[in-house]
Amino acid sequence: MDTVASNTIRIDVEHRGNQQVIAACLLTGESGAAIVDPGPASALPVLKRKLAQCGLSVADLNAILLTHIHLDHAGATGTLVAENPRIGVFVHERGAPHMAQPDKLLASAQRLYGEEMDRLWGEFRAVPAENLNILKGGERIRAGGRAIEVEYTPGHASHHVTYFDSSNGLAFVGDTAGIRISNRKYIVPPTPPPDIDLETWGKSLDRILSRKPSKLFLTHFSTAEPVEVHLAELRERLARWAEMVRETLSGGADDAGRASQFAQNVLTEMRGQLSEQDATRYAKGAGLDLCWAGLARYWRKRGT
Ligand SMILES: [Zn+2]
């Protein structure tokens, strides 16, 4: 665990034994503790162990702030709420129905992950509707003993929000500001199906930038700065990946071949700039085949 700001603790949930892939963030305050993106249910034992190291348990939580509902971010939520029904769950209005009735979300994830689904993410339990605090963006909420402003930031997911912590200037950006492990000099955009939209994503980055956060807290993984440089590099790589995927679409290969061609090209580039271990972490966090699929879907929707 690491303190990233006063009363603000990063928890590496060590997803399937891998360090620096998924980070939750614990916000502590006198009126109770909150967690931003608790991670998947498969990582709950680690989350609980690390809460205990902070002298806390699930009973001490009163809020979960979800940036979006993908399983690597939100999977543990229903299980935590079942254990402590006092937890209020903050989520965008387009994601909320799927937290209460996850069948469609899970069917869509099942198509992406197949047989790996349970092993990767564990059980996804529904959250009772009365525990949901539904956001549109523009709200000011209180959680973890501080005021937090909410901004709607779609692009990676159509229901993605960013939380701005008024106590320290941190922006909890989920996946909107990409993947960058412990502020290494390499940033990639996670672009899985089904929502990828480059135009709305770009506007979301503008909105994050305009609030001038001091640092970004990325789920994959930890804090990133300086913010302006980070976001500029992310924009560049997102545009580049989109072009790389578009080029594969005109080739003769089938989709599996196109995805693996893209993944190979990206991995080769990453290996040129990162250690082998880090390149593997980035690839795991992003899921390169899925990144191809999300961008291919974006282009095909536009008739490219
Ligand atoms: Zn993610």
Side-chain angles (χ1 to χ4, degrees), residues 3-239:
T3 299
V4 292
S6 169
N7 299 321
T8 308
I9 296 159
R10 185 192 71 214
I11 295 179
D12 185 342
V13 301
E14 298 175 16
H15 185 223
R16 304 179 73 212
N18 297 299
Q19 291 183 346
Q20 301 190 71
V21 174
I22 299 178
C25 197
L26 174 67
L27 315 178
T28 59
E30 279 161 23
S31 52
I35 288 192
V36 183
D37 287 351
S42 55
L44 255 180
V46 178
L47 182 75
K48 287 183 178 177
R49 173 160 56 78
K50 294 196 173 179
L51 279 176
Q53 287 167 11
C54 298
L56 296 172
S57 72
V58 176
D60 297 303
L61 300 176
N62 58 17
I64 292 175
L65 278 57
L66 297 178
T67 62
H68 64 302
I69 65 171
H70 291 167
L71 308 191
D72 54 329
H73 297 251
T77 307
T79 308
L80 289 166
V81 171
E83 211 170 310
N84 172 5
R86 290 184 309 101
I87 296 174
V89 176
F90 292 87
V91 61
H92 188 261
E93 60 181 351
R94 295 180 75 158
H98 303 288
M99 293 306 293
Q101 283 188 323
D103 324 24
K104 267 171 82 179
L105 172 70
L106 296 178
S108 151
Q110 183 79 48
R111 282 195 293 277
L112 299 181
Y113 299 107
E115 287 173 3
E116 289 286 285
M117 174 95 168
D118 282 348
R119 215 152 51 88
L120 279 170
W121 311 122
E123 187 188 17
F124 190 106
R125 294 185 68 169
V127 175
E130 60 267 28
N131 290 79
L132 295 172
N133 296 294
I134 295 171
L135 303 168
K136 289 176 183 293
E139 293 85 356
R140 193 176 166 89
I141 62 175
R142 277 201 75 80
R146 68 201 75 188
I148 287 175
E149 289 178 9
V150 183
E151 184 88 69
Y152 180 42
T153 53
H156 167 81
S158 63
H159 58 275
H160 200 300
V161 296
T162 292
Y163 298 100
F164 294 87
D165 186 332
S166 63
S167 71
N168 52 36
L170 269 176
F172 297 97
V173 290
D175 285 348
T176 301
I179 295 172
R180 180 184 192 180
I181 294 168
S182 301
N183 218 35
R184 305 257 204 289
K185 292 220 172 310
Y186 200 77
I187 303 163
V188 302
T191 59
D195 289 345
I196 298 307
D197 185 312
L198 300 185
E199 286 72 30
T200 59
W201 199 335
K203 285 180 194 149
S204 293
L205 297 179
D206 293 341
R207 282 203 291 280
I208 291 169
L209 193 58
S210 73
R211 285 177 174 261
K212 299 193 180 341
S214 60
K215 281 183 197 177
L216 307 171
F217 186 96
L218 314 179
T219 302
H220 319 287
F221 175 94
S222 195
T223 55
E225 61 180 325
V227 172
E228 206 163 318
V229 179
H230 174 100
L231 294 179
E233 190 179 329
L234 172 66
R235 266 184 227 269
E236 224 170 87
R237 185 143 294 120
L238 182 56

